[in-house]
Amino acid sequence: MKYCGKCGTKINIGDKFCSKCGISLHQLYTSSNPSIDAEKSNSYFHQKNWIYYSNESDEKKLYKIRTDATGRTQLNEDESWFVNVSEDWIYYSNGLENKKLYKIRTDGTERTRLNEDESTFIYVSGTWIYYSNGSDEKKLYKIRTDGTGRTQLNDDESWFVHVADGWIYYSNRSDEGNLYKIRTDGTGKLKLNYTESWFVHVADDWIYYSTLSNTGKLYKIRNNATGHAQLNDDESWFIHVRGEWVYYSNRNDQGKLYKIRRDGTDRVQLNDDESWFIYVPEFL
């Protein structure tokens, strides 16, 4: 669900104008509008880009910062791992409670526990949360965002889970960390490469990952295993792709938040925090 950034009215994908206040949604979401009191509006998440991350410099508490490096804000007191955002909810593993799965609103309210499993490498897609279940040898599981429907999907030790177009991509620790994919119903398992692949993120037809065989540098490969290319010389952790940018924690610069274009150009530093579990939500 999305909302007008000016008046808060619900809007639908494809709408060009708000049905209540009449503002051009294209203008609203592509330009700065100082008349909007965004910090007080629940819709600000949809109006401007935010990056959500676990602040290793502050006991892994959950923070957000805008993609232009302004608006840095603390959101909770939990040790927050494997951060995901869907609509106006943030999902994470709570390190203070044996990595049980939690959710909290993007304004820091309505903190809720969802399961009793040790839940790592979580990825939210639609109404499902996919995760590596440390309570069951890190096998791949899924559970609904309301905490129901818990289901086992494979027997592999599954790390760095990412879901796209009906497939779950993961680093298979039962096979030296090589990249695999499996359908979201647990069928059709396929092996995609022969290198230890970490921090997997899929965007369009490309898979982005950090490879330990080359000191954690950022790589991409097509999902048909062609077009392999190196994108930077940084040790790149917690990779997240959004739009034309790849966001990552730069381990060669104390884990600070960086971004680089998907073609490897325009590398930019965004903060001075040691930034873990980076998540950049989709926006209109």
Side-chain angles (χ1 to χ4, degrees):
M1 184 180 298
K2 298 183 185 297
Y3 301 88
C4 174
K6 181 176 182 180
C7 69
T9 300
K10 180 181 175 182
I11 58 176
N12 299 309
I13 294 175
D15 287 352
K16 296 181 178 179
F17 299 91
C18 174
S19 61
K20 182 176 181 179
C21 70
I23 193 169
S24 166
L25 298 176
H26 174 76
Q27 177 185 356
L28 179 64
Y29 293 114
T30 57
S31 65
S32 175
N33 191 337
S35 68
I36 300 172
D37 189 1
E39 290 291 346
K40 296 181 181 178
S41 172
N42 214 20
S43 64
Y44 190 55
F45 159 68
H46 302 290
Q47 182 205 351
K48 291 284 187 182
N49 271 341
W50 288 98
I51 305 167
Y52 295 82
Y53 63 99
S54 174
N55 188 349
E56 182 71 9
S57 305
D58 188 15
E59 301 176 329
K60 295 187 176 69
K61 294 171 185 174
L62 184 64
Y63 275 68
K64 65 180 180 179
I65 192 171
R66 295 188 188 107
T67 54
D68 64 2
T70 63
R72 178 177 173 275
T73 307
Q74 180 184 337
L75 294 172
N76 72 3
E77 296 290 336
D78 295 331
E79 189 176 299
S80 306
W81 295 54
F82 307 105
V83 175
N84 267 235
V85 183
S86 180
E87 296 187 348
D88 59 350
W89 287 98
I90 308 166
Y91 299 84
Y92 61 96
S93 300
N94 187 349
L96 299 180
E97 294 192 24
N98 197 33
K99 298 185 179 66
K100 292 184 174 76
L101 185 60
Y102 272 73
K103 67 178 179 180
I104 193 171
R105 295 273 186 189
T106 53
D107 63 1
T109 63
E110 299 186 44
R111 175 179 172 274
T112 307
R113 188 170 71 201
L114 294 174
N115 72 1
E116 297 297 326
D117 296 331
E118 181 185 332
S119 308
T120 59
F121 302 109
I122 70 171
Y123 193 90
V124 182
S125 179
T127 60
W128 289 98
I129 307 166
Y130 300 83
Y131 62 99
S132 174
N133 187 352
S135 304
D136 187 15
E137 301 177 332
K138 299 191 182 298
K139 296 172 186 175
L140 185 62
Y141 275 67
K142 66 179 179 180
I143 192 171
R144 292 192 184 275
T145 53
D146 63 2
T148 64
R150 177 178 173 274
T151 306
Q152 181 183 339
L153 294 172
N154 72 3
D155 290 308
D156 299 331
E157 184 177 348
S158 307
W159 289 27
F160 304 111
V161 174
H162 187 102
V163 182
D165 299 324
W167 290 94
I168 309 166
Y169 296 79
Y170 63 99
S171 174
N172 187 350
R173 301 295 295 174
S174 301
D175 184 19
E176 300 180 339
N178 293 324
L179 184 62
Y180 276 69
K181 69 177 181 179
I182 192 172
R183 293 192 185 277
T184 53
D185 63 1
T187 64
K189 186 170 76 169
L190 294 171
K191 185 173 182 176
L192 296 174
N193 73 3
Y194 291 85
T195 187
E196 189 169 4
S197 305
W198 285 33
F199 305 110
V200 175
H201 194 109
V202 182
D204 302 322
D205 296 329
W206 291 93
I207 307 165
Y208 298 80
Y209 63 96
S210 175
T211 176
L212 292 192
S213 64
N214 194 13
T215 61
K217 293 174 184 175
L218 178 64
Y219 278 78
K220 66 178 180 180
I221 189 172
R222 291 191 184 275
N223 57 18
N224 63 3
T226 65
H228 186 255
Q230 181 180 333
L231 295 178
N232 71 4
D233 289 309
D234 299 328
E235 185 177 355
S236 307
W237 286 26
F238 306 111
I239 296 163
H240 195 100
V241 184
R242 185 62 71 201
E244 292 304 311
W245 294 95
V246 185
Y247 298 84
Y248 62 97
S249 174
N250 185 352
R251 304 303 296 174
N252 297 128
D253 190 14
Q254 301 176 320
K256 294 172 185 175
L257 181 62
Y258 275 67
K259 67 178 180 179
I260 194 170
R261 291 196 183 273
R262 289 167 62 173
D263 62 2
T265 62
D266 295 337
R267 174 178 170 273
V268 180
Q269 180 184 339
L270 294 175
N271 72 2
D272 290 310
D273 297 329
E274 186 174 356
S275 306
W276 287 31
F277 306 114
I278 298 159
Y279 195 95
V280 187
E282 187 173 0
F283 58 97
L284 285 175

